[in-house]
Amino acid sequence: AQKITQTQPGMFVQEKEAVTLDCTYDTSDQSYGLFWYKQPSSGEMIFLIYQGSYDEQNATEGRYSLNFQKARKSANLVISASQLGDSAMYFCAMREGGWTGNQFYFGTGTSLTVIP
Amino acid sequence: EAQVTQNPRYLITVTGKKLTVTCSQNMNHEYMSWYRQDPGLGLRQIYYSMNVEVTDKGDVPEGYKVSRKEKRNFPLILESPSPNQTSLYFCASSLLDRGTGELFFGEGSRLTVL
């Protein structure tokens, strides 16, 4: 079974609108971490946001928020007020065993295009 | 500046010619790992290291070797490269003892095996 599933290969959003990128995960661990990374066309991997499995509040970082629904095992990324510079590939990832865990799992990514 | 440095960034080689991709980090991170990125497959973990002299296999270790003789360096070795190892490779490091444990990535190494 896939550890991380991103079901949206490509998404389009109008500039200044909000967009949600879906991510579901599969783990039997109680302690784990969920991450979102952005990969622009230049290729580098940029860390966006983190959610720990014990965190009760949804994580937020500027225009990024993580909609964490533990019972559903989902960790969707919400980007508010989209900008042209948000056009990129977005990867959801999980680290089992919390911050001391040794295995990282990535989804297949969602390509986001922001339309002017 | 805190960074993970990979070399070479681009490489074209031929089947069977041994090559090494170097990775170095200046953040004193215990954890280092290698990933390959292929279209439609996302990133897959090749090997990881929890500390000096401690390495283990990830999901796709076949055809690769690693070593961790110093904390800052974690080279990826392809003893006999094959065309199916053509890919974009990322090295990453992470701090284990505090914080979120997020990965800090190098800029990537694009490898083509002919």
Side-chain angles (χ1 to χ4, degrees):
Chain A
Q2 292 289 332
K3 287 284 189 178
I4 297 287
T5 302
Q6 294 180 254
T7 57
Q8 306 155 313
M11 291 278 287
F12 292 88
V13 64
Q14 204 76 38
E15 194 177 6
K16 300 180 185 175
E17 297 287 311
V19 63
T20 298
L21 306 184
D22 293 341
C23 173
T24 57
Y25 60 92
D26 181 30
T27 182
S28 56
D29 282 9
Q30 296 301 309
S31 177
Y32 52 89
L34 297 160
F35 306 83
W36 278 91
Y37 285 85
K38 173 184 179 181
Q39 186 179 43
S41 57
S42 51
E44 71 269 30
M45 295 289 287
I46 302 167
F47 166 68
L48 295 178
I49 197 166
Y50 165 82
Q51 179 86 39
S53 58
Y54 294 118
D55 295 340
E56 295 184 351
Q57 303 258 13
N58 285 343
T60 60
E61 288 287 347
R63 294 186 299 111
Y64 304 108
S65 60
L66 198 153
N67 184 359
F68 180 46
Q69 298 187 43
K70 196 169 183 176
R72 298 181 59 185
K73 293 189 175 178
S74 77
N76 299 339
L77 177 71
V78 180
I79 306 174
S80 62
S82 296
Q83 302 172 355
L84 295 178
D86 294 334
S87 293
M89 183 72 82
Y90 288 81
F91 291 98
C92 179
M94 176 176 65
R95 183 175 198 169
E96 289 183 318
W99 45 255
T100 60
N102 49 35
Q103 286 272 64
F104 275 87
Y105 302 95
F106 285 80
T108 52
T110 295
S111 177
L112 178 66
T113 302
V114 180
I115 304 165
Chain B
E1 180 190 354
Q3 59 186 6
V4 178
T5 304
Q6 297 178 224
N7 278 296
R9 295 286 314 283
Y10 301 90
L11 180 63
I12 301 174
T13 189
V14 295
T15 299
K17 187 176 181 182
K18 180 179 178 180
L19 68 92
T20 299
V21 186
T22 63
C23 174
S24 181
Q25 51 92 6
N26 62 2
M27 295 171 279
N28 203 36
H29 286 172
E30 296 90 350
Y31 183 91
M32 297 186 75
S33 54
W34 277 101
Y35 302 83
R36 61 177 290 172
Q37 183 181 1
D38 302 289
L41 297 178
L43 282 79
R44 292 178 292 168
Q45 193 170 39
I46 303 171
Y47 269 95
Y48 62 90
S49 170
M50 301 291 279
N51 214 324
V52 175
E53 302 292 2
V54 181
T55 64
D56 210 341
K57 297 176 181 179
D59 289 330
V60 288
E62 295 79 18
Y64 305 95
K65 285 176 57 177
V66 293
S67 68
R68 186 95 181 270
K69 299 190 187 308
E70 303 168 283
K71 196 172 186 178
R72 62 183 292 125
N73 296 324
F74 190 46
L76 180 70
I77 303 157
L78 285 73
E79 292 270 3
S80 182
S82 62
N84 64 12
Q85 292 179 296
T86 292
S87 188
L88 176 61
Y89 291 87
F90 285 101
C91 178
S93 69
S94 175
L95 194 60
L96 285 182
D97 62 355
R98 59 182 172 84
T100 65
E102 81 266 24
L103 290 167
F104 292 80
F105 282 88
E107 292 180 300
S109 296
R110 187 166 293 281
L111 171 65
T112 302
V113 183
L114 302 175

PDB file of all heavy atoms in Angstrom, chain A residues 90-112:
ATOM      1  N   TYR A  90       4.146  20.189  -5.957  1.00  0.00           N
ATOM      2  CA  TYR A  90       4.035  20.129  -4.504  1.00  0.00           C
ATOM      3  C   TYR A  90       4.016  18.673  -4.059  1.00  0.00           C
ATOM      4  O   TYR A  90       3.256  17.855  -4.595  1.00  0.00           O
ATOM      5  CB  TYR A  90       2.763  20.841  -4.033  1.00  0.00           C
ATOM      6  CG  TYR A  90       2.851  22.342  -4.176  1.00  0.00           C
ATOM      7  CD1 TYR A  90       2.607  22.929  -5.410  1.00  0.00           C
ATOM      8  CD2 TYR A  90       3.206  23.140  -3.106  1.00  0.00           C
ATOM      9  CE1 TYR A  90       2.722  24.307  -5.564  1.00  0.00           C
ATOM     10  CE2 TYR A  90       3.309  24.519  -3.252  1.00  0.00           C
ATOM     11  CZ  TYR A  90       3.071  25.087  -4.487  1.00  0.00           C
ATOM     12  OH  TYR A  90       3.176  26.454  -4.629  1.00  0.00           O
ATOM     13  N   PHE A  91       4.863  18.372  -3.086  1.00  0.00           N
ATOM     14  CA  PHE A  91       4.963  17.014  -2.576  1.00  0.00           C
ATOM     15  C   PHE A  91       4.572  16.956  -1.107  1.00  0.00           C
ATOM     16  O   PHE A  91       5.030  17.762  -0.299  1.00  0.00           O
ATOM     17  CB  PHE A  91       6.401  16.487  -2.710  1.00  0.00           C
ATOM     18  CG  PHE A  91       6.835  16.253  -4.120  1.00  0.00           C
ATOM     19  CD1 PHE A  91       7.589  17.191  -4.799  1.00  0.00           C
ATOM     20  CD2 PHE A  91       6.491  15.074  -4.781  1.00  0.00           C
ATOM     21  CE1 PHE A  91       8.005  16.979  -6.108  1.00  0.00           C
ATOM     22  CE2 PHE A  91       6.894  14.854  -6.085  1.00  0.00           C
ATOM     23  CZ  PHE A  91       7.646  15.808  -6.751  1.00  0.00           C
ATOM     24  N   CYS A  92       3.749  15.979  -0.801  1.00  0.00           N
ATOM     25  CA  CYS A  92       3.407  15.642   0.575  1.00  0.00           C
ATOM     26  C   CYS A  92       4.364  14.538   1.019  1.00  0.00           C
ATOM     27  O   CYS A  92       4.715  13.657   0.208  1.00  0.00           O
ATOM     28  CB  CYS A  92       1.964  15.185   0.625  1.00  0.00           C
ATOM     29  SG  CYS A  92       1.367  14.706   2.266  1.00  0.00           S
ATOM     30  N   ALA A  93       4.787  14.581   2.268  1.00  0.00           N
ATOM     31  CA  ALA A  93       5.735  13.574   2.756  1.00  0.00           C
ATOM     32  C   ALA A  93       5.423  13.231   4.202  1.00  0.00           C
ATOM     33  O   ALA A  93       4.823  14.022   4.931  1.00  0.00           O
ATOM     34  CB  ALA A  93       7.173  14.081   2.630  1.00  0.00           C
ATOM     35  N   MET A  94       5.851  12.058   4.605  1.00  0.00           N
ATOM     36  CA  MET A  94       5.646  11.598   5.974  1.00  0.00           C
ATOM     37  C   MET A  94       6.935  11.012   6.512  1.00  0.00           C
ATOM     38  O   MET A  94       7.663  10.323   5.782  1.00  0.00           O
ATOM     39  CB  MET A  94       4.550  10.532   6.035  1.00  0.00           C
ATOM     40  CG  MET A  94       4.337   9.942   7.416  1.00  0.00           C
ATOM     41  SD  MET A  94       2.972   8.795   7.480  1.00  0.00           S
ATOM     42  CE  MET A  94       3.545   7.468   6.424  1.00  0.00           C
ATOM     43  N   ARG A  95       7.199  11.284   7.779  1.00  0.00           N
ATOM     44  CA  ARG A  95       8.307  10.663   8.487  1.00  0.00           C
ATOM     45  C   ARG A  95       7.706   9.862   9.628  1.00  0.00           C
ATOM     46  O   ARG A  95       7.126  10.435  10.559  1.00  0.00           O
ATOM     47  CB  ARG A  95       9.266  11.709   9.035  1.00  0.00           C
ATOM     48  CG  ARG A  95      10.495  11.112   9.722  1.00  0.00           C
ATOM     49  CD  ARG A  95      11.455  12.202  10.136  1.00  0.00           C
ATOM     50  NE  ARG A  95      12.778  11.648  10.399  1.00  0.00           N
ATOM     51  CZ  ARG A  95      13.863  12.387  10.579  1.00  0.00           C
ATOM     52  NH1 ARG A  95      13.784  13.702  10.514  1.00  0.00           N
ATOM     53  NH2 ARG A  95      15.019  11.809  10.810  1.00  0.00           N
ATOM     54  N   GLU A  96       7.827   8.548   9.539  1.00  0.00           N
ATOM     55  CA  GLU A  96       7.321   7.706  10.601  1.00  0.00           C
ATOM     56  C   GLU A  96       8.273   7.745  11.781  1.00  0.00           C
ATOM     57  O   GLU A  96       9.475   7.909  11.622  1.00  0.00           O
ATOM     58  CB  GLU A  96       7.136   6.268  10.109  1.00  0.00           C
ATOM     59  CG  GLU A  96       5.971   6.123   9.154  1.00  0.00           C
ATOM     60  CD  GLU A  96       5.752   4.685   8.718  1.00  0.00           C
ATOM     61  OE1 GLU A  96       6.748   4.002   8.442  1.00  0.00           O
ATOM     62  OE2 GLU A  96       4.589   4.254   8.673  1.00  0.00           O
ATOM     63  N   GLY A  97       7.728   7.591  12.990  1.00  0.00           N
ATOM     64  CA  GLY A  97       8.569   7.624  14.175  1.00  0.00           C
ATOM     65  C   GLY A  97       8.876   9.034  14.632  1.00  0.00           C
ATOM     66  O   GLY A  97       9.809   9.241  15.401  1.00  0.00           O
ATOM     67  N   GLY A  98       8.108  10.016  14.189  1.00  0.00           N
ATOM     68  CA  GLY A  98       8.323  11.393  14.625  1.00  0.00           C
ATOM     69  C   GLY A  98       9.642  11.922  14.106  1.00  0.00           C
ATOM     70  O   GLY A  98      10.151  11.492  13.076  1.00  0.00           O
ATOM     71  N   TRP A  99      10.235  12.883  14.834  1.00  0.00           N
ATOM     72  CA  TRP A  99      11.464  13.498  14.323  1.00  0.00           C
ATOM     73  C   TRP A  99      12.686  12.614  14.523  1.00  0.00           C
ATOM     74  O   TRP A  99      13.777  12.956  14.082  1.00  0.00           O
ATOM     75  CB  TRP A  99      11.679  14.896  14.915  1.00  0.00           C
ATOM     76  CG  TRP A  99      11.475  15.060  16.381  1.00  0.00           C
ATOM     77  CD1 TRP A  99      10.409  15.644  16.993  1.00  0.00           C
ATOM     78  CD2 TRP A  99      12.360  14.646  17.436  1.00  0.00           C
ATOM     79  NE1 TRP A  99      10.577  15.624  18.348  1.00  0.00           N
ATOM     80  CE2 TRP A  99      11.763  15.023  18.658  1.00  0.00           C
ATOM     81  CE3 TRP A  99      13.605  13.997  17.465  1.00  0.00           C
ATOM     82  CZ2 TRP A  99      12.350  14.770  19.875  1.00  0.00           C
ATOM     83  CZ3 TRP A  99      14.194  13.754  18.692  1.00  0.00           C
ATOM     84  CH2 TRP A  99      13.570  14.129  19.875  1.00  0.00           C
ATOM     85  N   THR A 100      12.563  11.487  15.189  1.00  0.00           N
ATOM     86  CA  THR A 100      13.687  10.565  15.283  1.00  0.00           C
ATOM     87  C   THR A 100      13.547   9.396  14.314  1.00  0.00           C
ATOM     88  O   THR A 100      14.394   8.518  14.261  1.00  0.00           O
ATOM     89  CB  THR A 100      13.823   9.997  16.707  1.00  0.00           C
ATOM     90  OG1 THR A 100      12.604   9.305  17.020  1.00  0.00           O
ATOM     91  CG2 THR A 100      14.045  11.101  17.717  1.00  0.00           C
ATOM     92  N   GLY A 101      12.462   9.371  13.564  1.00  0.00           N
ATOM     93  CA  GLY A 101      12.266   8.284  12.613  1.00  0.00           C
ATOM     94  C   GLY A 101      13.252   8.357  11.469  1.00  0.00           C
ATOM     95  O   GLY A 101      13.847   9.382  11.200  1.00  0.00           O
ATOM     96  N   ASN A 102      13.418   7.251  10.782  1.00  0.00           N
ATOM     97  CA  ASN A 102      14.470   7.180   9.780  1.00  0.00           C
ATOM     98  C   ASN A 102      13.976   7.037   8.352  1.00  0.00           C
ATOM     99  O   ASN A 102      14.737   7.168   7.408  1.00  0.00           O
ATOM    100  CB  ASN A 102      15.406   6.020  10.094  1.00  0.00           C
ATOM    101  CG  ASN A 102      14.652   4.731  10.361  1.00  0.00           C
ATOM    102  OD1 ASN A 102      13.625   4.475   9.743  1.00  0.00           O
ATOM    103  ND2 ASN A 102      15.145   3.902  11.258  1.00  0.00           N
ATOM    104  N   GLN A 103      12.676   6.810   8.158  1.00  0.00           N
ATOM    105  CA  GLN A 103      12.160   6.624   6.812  1.00  0.00           C
ATOM    106  C   GLN A 103      11.247   7.789   6.442  1.00  0.00           C
ATOM    107  O   GLN A 103      10.317   8.121   7.173  1.00  0.00           O
ATOM    108  CB  GLN A 103      11.352   5.327   6.725  1.00  0.00           C
ATOM    109  CG  GLN A 103      12.192   4.061   6.734  1.00  0.00           C
ATOM    110  CD  GLN A 103      12.624   3.659   5.330  1.00  0.00           C
ATOM    111  OE1 GLN A 103      13.354   4.380   4.671  1.00  0.00           O
ATOM    112  NE2 GLN A 103      12.166   2.511   4.863  1.00  0.00           N
ATOM    113  N   PHE A 104      11.555   8.361   5.294  1.00  0.00           N
ATOM    114  CA  PHE A 104      10.690   9.388   4.729  1.00  0.00           C
ATOM    115  C   PHE A 104       9.970   8.800   3.521  1.00  0.00           C
ATOM    116  O   PHE A 104      10.570   8.092   2.719  1.00  0.00           O
ATOM    117  CB  PHE A 104      11.512  10.593   4.255  1.00  0.00           C
ATOM    118  CG  PHE A 104      11.815  11.586   5.326  1.00  0.00           C
ATOM    119  CD1 PHE A 104      12.931  11.424   6.128  1.00  0.00           C
ATOM    120  CD2 PHE A 104      11.009  12.690   5.515  1.00  0.00           C
ATOM    121  CE1 PHE A 104      13.229  12.339   7.113  1.00  0.00           C
ATOM    122  CE2 PHE A 104      11.304  13.625   6.501  1.00  0.00           C
ATOM    123  CZ  PHE A 104      12.424  13.451   7.300  1.00  0.00           C
ATOM    124  N   TYR A 105       8.699   9.142   3.393  1.00  0.00           N
ATOM    125  CA  TYR A 105       7.917   8.689   2.250  1.00  0.00           C
ATOM    126  C   TYR A 105       7.296   9.910   1.583  1.00  0.00           C
ATOM    127  O   TYR A 105       6.767  10.783   2.262  1.00  0.00           O
ATOM    128  CB  TYR A 105       6.809   7.734   2.696  1.00  0.00           C
ATOM    129  CG  TYR A 105       7.319   6.521   3.428  1.00  0.00           C
ATOM    130  CD1 TYR A 105       7.375   6.501   4.815  1.00  0.00           C
ATOM    131  CD2 TYR A 105       7.761   5.392   2.730  1.00  0.00           C
ATOM    132  CE1 TYR A 105       7.844   5.397   5.485  1.00  0.00           C
ATOM    133  CE2 TYR A 105       8.238   4.280   3.409  1.00  0.00           C
ATOM    134  CZ  TYR A 105       8.281   4.296   4.783  1.00  0.00           C
ATOM    135  OH  TYR A 105       8.754   3.199   5.450  1.00  0.00           O
ATOM    136  N   PHE A 106       7.377   9.925   0.261  1.00  0.00           N
ATOM    137  CA  PHE A 106       6.853  11.041  -0.514  1.00  0.00           C
ATOM    138  C   PHE A 106       5.726  10.576  -1.410  1.00  0.00           C
ATOM    139  O   PHE A 106       5.715   9.444  -1.896  1.00  0.00           O
ATOM    140  CB  PHE A 106       7.952  11.650  -1.392  1.00  0.00           C
ATOM    141  CG  PHE A 106       8.939  12.480  -0.630  1.00  0.00           C
ATOM    142  CD1 PHE A 106       9.972  11.883   0.076  1.00  0.00           C
ATOM    143  CD2 PHE A 106       8.840  13.863  -0.612  1.00  0.00           C
ATOM    144  CE1 PHE A 106      10.882  12.645   0.787  1.00  0.00           C
ATOM    145  CE2 PHE A 106       9.752  14.631   0.094  1.00  0.00           C
ATOM    146  CZ  PHE A 106      10.768  14.016   0.800  1.00  0.00           C
ATOM    147  N   GLY A 107       4.790  11.487  -1.666  1.00  0.00           N
ATOM    148  CA  GLY A 107       3.777  11.229  -2.664  1.00  0.00           C
ATOM    149  C   GLY A 107       4.310  11.496  -4.059  1.00  0.00           C
ATOM    150  O   GLY A 107       5.469  11.894  -4.236  1.00  0.00           O
ATOM    151  N   THR A 108       3.450  11.292  -5.040  1.00  0.00           N
ATOM    152  CA  THR A 108       3.852  11.460  -6.438  1.00  0.00           C
ATOM    153  C   THR A 108       3.779  12.904  -6.905  1.00  0.00           C
ATOM    154  O   THR A 108       4.220  13.226  -7.991  1.00  0.00           O
ATOM    155  CB  THR A 108       2.997  10.586  -7.357  1.00  0.00           C
ATOM    156  OG1 THR A 108       1.626  10.847  -7.079  1.00  0.00           O
ATOM    157  CG2 THR A 108       3.276   9.103  -7.123  1.00  0.00           C
ATOM    158  N   GLY A 109       3.208  13.762  -6.053  1.00  0.00           N
ATOM    159  CA  GLY A 109       3.228  15.188  -6.345  1.00  0.00           C
ATOM    160  C   GLY A 109       1.980  15.688  -7.058  1.00  0.00           C
ATOM    161  O   GLY A 109       1.268  14.929  -7.723  1.00  0.00           O
ATOM    162  N   THR A 110       1.742  16.982  -6.888  1.00  0.00           N
ATOM    163  CA  THR A 110       0.674  17.685  -7.600  1.00  0.00           C
ATOM    164  C   THR A 110       1.280  18.907  -8.272  1.00  0.00           C
ATOM    165  O   THR A 110       1.949  19.708  -7.607  1.00  0.00           O
ATOM    166  CB  THR A 110      -0.436  18.141  -6.641  1.00  0.00           C
ATOM    167  OG1 THR A 110      -1.069  17.004  -6.075  1.00  0.00           O
ATOM    168  CG2 THR A 110      -1.473  19.002  -7.367  1.00  0.00           C
ATOM    169  N   SER A 111       1.058  19.026  -9.570  1.00  0.00           N
ATOM    170  CA  SER A 111       1.563  20.177 -10.305  1.00  0.00           C
ATOM    171  C   SER A 111       0.512  21.285 -10.266  1.00  0.00           C
ATOM    172  O   SER A 111      -0.587  21.113 -10.792  1.00  0.00           O
ATOM    173  CB  SER A 111       1.862  19.777 -11.754  1.00  0.00           C
ATOM    174  OG  SER A 111       2.282  20.913 -12.485  1.00  0.00           O
ATOM    175  N   LEU A 112       0.851  22.387  -9.640  1.00  0.00           N
ATOM    176  CA  LEU A 112      -0.079  23.510  -9.515  1.00  0.00           C
ATOM    177  C   LEU A 112       0.286  24.602 -10.504  1.00  0.00           C
ATOM    178  O   LEU A 112       1.455  25.011 -10.596  1.00  0.00           O
ATOM    179  CB  LEU A 112      -0.033  24.084  -8.100  1.00  0.00           C
ATOM    180  CG  LEU A 112      -0.916  25.297  -7.841  1.00  0.00           C
ATOM    181  CD1 LEU A 112      -2.388  24.914  -7.945  1.00  0.00           C
ATOM    182  CD2 LEU A 112      -0.612  25.917  -6.487  1.00  0.00           C
TER     183      LEU A 112
END
